[in-house]
Amino acid sequence: NKKAFVELLFWKSPAIVCEMTKGYSSLQEGEGTTRCRVPLWTPQEEQELRELYWKYKEVEGGDIIAAILAQLPTPGRTRRQVVKQLVRM
């Protein structure tokens, strides 16, 4: 694309940059980086997270989030995702 330098003058989100490098219209309608990157929490996962939080909440000197991550049945959740979900709940 000979006019890509003009597009580089303006702020781009990761989804737009991906679209620029892979070709326009490579992203389907409704797709984006947040949708692909962060899996949604199911009600069962939220309940499990709630139970694990109440279980490890009273442990002194321990890292609650690390204990929760070790016990979560769904692998692949990051520390940040767990913290954000606990704050949201």
Side-chain angles (χ1 to χ4, degrees):
N1 186 357
K2 294 180 180 180
K3 297 184 180 171
F5 67 92
V6 175
E7 291 188 18
L8 296 176
L9 295 174
F10 302 98
W11 179 259
K12 303 286 184 232
S13 70
I16 301 298
V17 172
C18 179
E19 189 176 22
M20 284 175 58
T21 57
K22 292 183 180 178
Y24 293 102
S25 74
S26 63
L27 290 178
Q28 299 300 320
E29 192 68 31
E31 283 186 0
T33 55
T34 56
R35 185 172 179 206
C36 296
R37 229 182 346 173
V38 181
L40 297 176
W41 288 83
T42 64
Q44 294 83 13
E45 289 175 329
E46 286 183 359
Q47 181 62 30
E48 182 72 24
L49 182 63
R50 189 175 290 115
E51 290 171 5
L52 287 171
Y53 173 74
W54 287 107
K55 179 179 176 182
Y56 292 111
K57 176 180 133 171
E58 300 300 324
V59 176
E60 285 197 30
D63 187 9
I64 297 172
I65 305 301
I68 289 174
L69 279 171
Q71 297 294 319
L72 271 179
T74 309
R77 294 283 184 192
T78 64
R79 182 178 184 89
R80 182 179 221 166
Q81 290 172 345
V82 171
V83 170
K84 277 180 105 173
Q85 186 65 19
L86 284 171
V87 168
R88 190 186 69 77
M89 291 184 346

